[in-house]
Amino acid sequence: MKNIIIGTAGHVDHGKTTLIKALSGIDTDRLEEEKKRGITIELGFAHIPNDAGYNIGVIDVPGHEKFIKHMLAGIGGIDFVLFVVAADEGIMPQTREHFEILRALGIDDGIIAVTKTDMVEEEWLEMLLEEVDEYFKGSFLEGKPVIPVSAATGEGVDLLKEEIIKKCDREQKRREDKELFRLPVDRVFTMQGFGTVVTGTLMDGEVSVGDDVIVNPRGSRVKVRGIQTYGKETESALAGQRTAINLSGITKDEIDRGDVLSYPGAVTVTNMLDVRLGMFSSTDRVVLNNSRVHLYCGSDEVICKVILLDRDALSAGEETYAQLRLEEPMAVRRGDRFIIRFYSPIITIGGGRIIDALPAKHKRNREEVLAGMDVLAGGSIEEIVCAKAGERRFVKQDELADELGLLHSEMAVIADREVEGGRIVKLSDSTLVSDAKIARLIDDTKQIIELYHQDNPLADGIPRQELMSRLRDRWYLEDDKLVQALVRYMLDCGVIEDRGKSIAIAGFSIEYTDEQLALKDDIASRYEAAGIEMIKNDEIFALSSDGRIVRAILEDLEEEGRIYKVNPSYYISTEAWNQAVDAARSFEDKFILADYRDKLGTSRKYAAELLPAMDKAGITIFDGETRKAVK
């Protein structure tokens, strides 16, 4: 069955609730105060029975200006609007305000119901219909059905219902893929014997009894104990259905209107939004840079600060890019529509669309920032993925899918296509990096290594851990696996070379001066001449006034395989080391230090340095008294 949600709109006392009762048989005014005052205060819910095979849910919103915030909590999730204008009053202040809100929220279809026709003369009604046509000209309601109706007499109700059913035969814009499930909570209550129940319009995806879901933005994990849609128990609910969910693991006081139920990753919890923001043409207010406003998105409301990115003020009818800095976290998805209201007095002044739910903090009046906004607002999904992969922040493939509201499988296809085209690099940890960003990383890595060479002219490369540490500091990286993946990518590309304990720029070789070459030969020959009777490092370092040069020569000789590092105090020629190892392995059974000393024909002093090195290298095993060679 196709699931459709209709929302009412229109001025207070224009007959929205009475009309819904005539269509559905349900009185959506459930509060005692609503019945007493004769006006809708809170959101009301109904469903329209039909033989066409549709689940038609209705959200009845308050029309009074004092309850606009309640109207905003329910209207954003509708498929089309039932816009109500009373025949005896015509276009009124909340008619205009509701209409501006609908346009800002991107609602693109609807039906106009002219109510209370039994209260006016035919001539007056004809004049009112002309006024309605003129008012909605040039908008999404131009040319849409206009149905005169009287809930009191029943005239036009059947025709209106027919038009509603015709509207239901429309392309489904909501996505039913399970992993995208999200439900903005618009009502929370407790039922005896059941516990906490929440209701809302299921915006995307599917949820089933027994599922574990997240309460955003607080992050609580709860279990779905039961589900109702349109008053009936069901095992699952789908996108486009008015849904009541019985939750276990949470109390009524731990969840509020404005929270969002979702699967992990299906929404972005954020304190900052990049948006395309527009002001209503009818407003007489101006938003200045750094103004505080009320932000409404889904069923949530928070205070935020508006940072205008290309100007100092935004006036009626104008549109621009802005960054909204929220005073409390909000759970949203890129592409969501929102409304803003002036901070004080609280009046509705504009709205727009979220183009980035997880942005960096921007500086104002920067061409590159505004150019990036153009891509995020109007680019293809491939261009947007490349733009996000090019940001200073690093993001993994599945994380970016969540951020952009894509299925992980969809993101995989896009990423593979962009990698094949050379626009994106996918690292071994699944991080996506744009071609321009990886080029900057390579340049930075080369610069780090070159600076190291300037300070250490005879080192064959920078120690691996030091390179990783400097990359972490320069790019503010906290994930060691990401740093390792970056270094691995550059090694695989041949940009840098692995020199064992160090990493060098590809093709790099140490260039010694004649004096340094002579010192290197002298040091090597001393080790060769010493043989088993090793030379202490202090004697070698005394050969030059520059200890860095001696250290570099020792590391180079070790790398070339001409000497072996026994411990921090001694090196030995490789030939002598092999001789020492052969002596240890010549024992058929266990031996002690004195046995080894005699076998090697050296002093106890040198034997005592060599054997622990062999233990460490796994050549011998020491049990505290004797050793045995590993064959």
Side-chain angles (χ1 to χ4, degrees):
M1 295 181 73
K2 186 172 284 187
N3 300 294
I4 299 294
I5 300 290
I6 305 170
T8 63
H11 194 75
V12 62
D13 203 30
H14 275 206
K16 296 185 292 297
T17 301
T18 304
L19 182 59
I20 295 305
K21 186 174 182 179
L23 289 165
S24 67
I26 297 170
D27 183 358
T28 58
D29 280 350
R30 55 189 168 77
L31 301 179
E32 185 178 335
E33 187 180 355
E34 290 177 317
K35 297 183 183 302
K36 181 178 178 182
R37 296 173 62 179
I39 63 171
T40 298
I41 296 172
E42 263 291 359
L43 296 172
F45 309 104
H47 58 276
I48 299 176
N50 64 93
D51 298 323
Y54 299 114
N55 281 326
I56 307 174
V58 184
I59 301 175
D60 185 24
V61 305
H64 197 287
E65 62 179 329
K66 288 184 179 179
F67 308 119
I68 286 292
K69 64 180 293 183
H70 300 323
M71 178 264 191
L72 290 169
I75 201 67
I78 68 172
D79 292 294
F80 64 90
V81 65
L82 181 59
F83 207 105
V84 175
V85 181
D88 60 337
E89 288 192 332
I91 306 299
M92 296 291 283
Q94 265 55 63
T95 309
R96 297 184 176 90
E97 185 174 14
H98 282 203
F99 182 52
E100 293 266 35
I101 288 169
L102 292 167
R103 289 201 293 190
L105 290 175
I107 307 301
D108 61 3
D109 199 3
I111 297 170
I112 302 167
V114 177
T115 57
K116 302 187 180 183
T117 55
D118 57 301
M119 298 179 67
V120 299
E121 300 293 334
E122 185 73 26
E123 186 177 339
W124 177 272
L125 179 60
E126 289 180 8
M127 186 173 64
L128 188 279
L129 291 174
E130 288 179 8
E131 180 188 354
V132 168
D133 282 344
E134 182 62 30
Y135 181 75
F136 291 114
K137 189 172 290 184
S139 78
F140 72 92
L141 285 175
E142 181 180 8
K144 298 300 189 290
V146 180
I147 311 298
V149 62
S150 169
T153 67
E155 182 182 358
V157 172
D158 289 340
L159 177 60
L160 177 58
K161 189 170 182 178
E162 286 176 18
E163 290 295 337
I164 288 172
I165 291 170
K166 286 180 187 177
K167 283 284 182 193
C168 291
D169 187 20
R170 56 191 279 122
E171 181 183 354
Q172 175 64 276
K173 293 183 179 180
R174 304 177 191 274
R175 302 196 58 179
E176 295 183 354
D177 308 274
K178 191 171 178 70
E179 70 184 72
L180 298 178
F181 162 67
R182 59 172 178 153
L183 181 142
V185 174
D186 53 36
R187 188 177 170 216
V188 184
F189 56 94
T190 302
M191 283 186 66
Q192 190 170 3
F194 290 91
T196 303
V197 177
V198 300
T199 69
T201 300
L202 209 163
M203 299 291 288
D204 298 290
E206 177 185 359
V207 66
S208 303
V209 173
D211 286 351
D212 290 322
V213 297
I214 306 296
V215 180
N216 301 286
R218 65 193 69 204
S220 308
R221 186 178 290 269
V222 296
K223 188 174 285 292
V224 176
R225 184 178 175 187
I227 299 174
Q228 277 194 3
T229 58
Y230 307 111
K232 295 181 180 178
E233 297 283 340
T234 181
E235 286 298 307
S236 296
L238 293 170
Q241 293 181 334
R242 282 296 305 174
T243 306
I245 301 180
N246 179 203
L247 299 172
S248 64
I250 196 167
T251 67
K252 179 178 178 293
D253 295 333
E254 294 173 311
I255 187 167
D256 298 308
R257 169 183 282 180
D259 288 345
V260 180
L261 294 185
S262 78
Y263 293 133
V267 295
T268 300
V269 175
T270 183
N271 286 89
M272 195 154 56
L273 300 168
D274 281 350
V275 301
R276 185 70 180 169
L277 174 64
M279 295 285 281
F280 292 167
S281 56
S282 59
T283 187
D284 58 357
R285 300 287 171 173
V286 174
V287 170
L288 302 176
N289 180 58
N290 234 23
S291 293
R292 294 174 83 214
V293 299
H294 296 261
L295 169 67
Y296 300 82
C297 188
S299 57
D300 202 4
E301 173 195 1
V302 301
I303 305 295
C304 70
K305 191 175 289 186
V306 180
I307 307 300
L308 300 174
L309 295 175
D310 67 347
R311 65 193 71 196
D312 295 324
L314 191 66
S315 303
E318 293 181 342
E319 216 178 308
T320 191
Y321 294 122
Q323 185 163 86
L324 307 182
R325 296 176 184 168
L326 285 54
E327 296 185 5
E328 297 175 52
M330 181 179 263
V332 300
R333 184 178 290 166
R334 179 187 171 275
D336 284 352
R337 297 276 182 163
F338 65 88
I339 294 295
I340 61 168
R341 305 185 79 199
F342 206 67
Y343 184 70
S344 182
I346 305 178
I347 54 176
T348 313
I349 56 174
R353 178 170 64 96
I354 297 170
I355 61 175
D356 192 348
L358 212 58
K361 188 174 283 189
H362 301 306
K363 292 185 178 179
R364 301 177 62 230
N365 302 311
R366 296 294 180 93
E367 288 185 13
E368 66 275 14
V369 170
L370 297 172
M373 295 285 190
D374 284 337
V375 173
L376 293 173
S380 66
I381 190 61
E382 291 80 8
E383 289 170 330
I384 291 168
V385 167
C386 289
K388 297 297 289 182
E391 293 178 347
R392 181 84 182 189
R393 177 176 63 99
F394 288 81
V395 61
K396 290 181 172 58
Q397 181 173 295
D398 286 350
E399 293 171 346
L400 187 53
D402 294 340
E403 189 178 326
L404 298 180
L406 299 172
L407 298 175
H408 289 184
S409 57
E410 292 172 329
M411 186 72 244
V413 171
I414 294 168
D416 288 348
R417 188 163 58 235
E418 296 307 298
V419 168
E420 188 176 345
R423 292 173 289 275
I424 280 181
V425 165
K426 184 176 178 179
L427 301 178
S428 59
D429 70 338
S430 83
T431 296
L432 301 180
V433 187
S434 71
D435 55 350
K437 183 174 174 179
I438 203 70
R440 293 196 302 274
L441 278 158
I442 289 171
D443 287 344
D444 279 357
T445 302
K446 287 181 175 179
Q447 186 182 62
I448 288 169
I449 298 174
E450 285 166 356
L451 288 171
Y452 183 85
H453 280 308
Q454 288 176 19
D455 293 334
N456 305 273
L458 297 184
D460 69 345
I462 185 172
R464 178 186 290 266
Q465 290 303 319
E466 185 165 349
L467 173 61
M468 291 175 61
S469 177
R470 294 194 187 187
L471 275 174
R472 270 195 297 268
D473 292 344
R474 186 169 291 198
W475 283 82
Y476 306 104
L477 303 174
E478 296 180 358
D479 185 351
D480 282 344
K481 289 183 179 179
L482 170 58
V483 184
Q484 292 166 6
L486 284 167
V487 172
R488 172 48 52 197
Y489 171 79
M490 288 184 267
L491 286 168
D492 292 342
C493 290
V495 173
I496 55 179
E497 292 179 357
D498 191 342
R499 299 282 177 89
K501 294 180 180 179
S502 61
I503 290 175
I505 294 172
F508 171 80
S509 61
I510 298 171
E511 294 184 5
Y512 290 102
T513 65
D514 291 342
E515 183 181 350
Q516 290 165 349
L517 280 172
L519 178 61
K520 180 180 178 182
D521 290 340
D522 182 29
I523 291 172
S525 64
R526 286 172 183 264
Y527 281 115
E528 290 165 6
I532 293 298
E533 300 191 355
M534 300 173 289
I535 307 169
K536 201 160 189 178
N537 288 351
D538 293 348
E539 297 177 38
I540 299 298
F541 276 93
L543 298 175
S544 171
S545 60
D546 191 340
R548 294 179 307 165
I549 293 174
V550 175
R551 187 174 301 283
I553 288 173
L554 290 173
E555 290 174 355
D556 197 22
L557 288 171
E558 184 184 10
E559 186 70 28
E560 291 174 4
R562 296 170 68 182
I563 62 174
Y564 183 87
K565 189 173 184 178
V566 176
N567 56 42
S569 298
Y570 286 98
Y571 283 89
I572 189 173
S573 73
T574 304
E575 183 181 351
W577 172 254
N578 291 337
Q579 179 187 343
V581 170
D582 290 342
R585 286 176 173 164
S586 68
F587 289 100
E588 292 297 328
D589 204 354
K590 295 181 178 180
F591 62 92
I592 61 174
L593 177 60
D595 297 331
Y596 181 70
R597 175 199 63 197
D598 294 343
K599 173 76 73 171
L600 198 57
T602 187
S603 68
R604 183 182 181 89
K605 170 185 173 183
Y606 298 118
E609 298 289 351
L610 289 166
L611 284 175
M614 290 187 205
D615 296 339
K616 187 175 181 181
I619 296 166
T620 55
I621 298 174
F622 184 47
D623 63 9
E625 294 183 6
T626 63
R627 285 182 170 83
K628 187 172 183 177
V630 178
K631 301 295 186 181

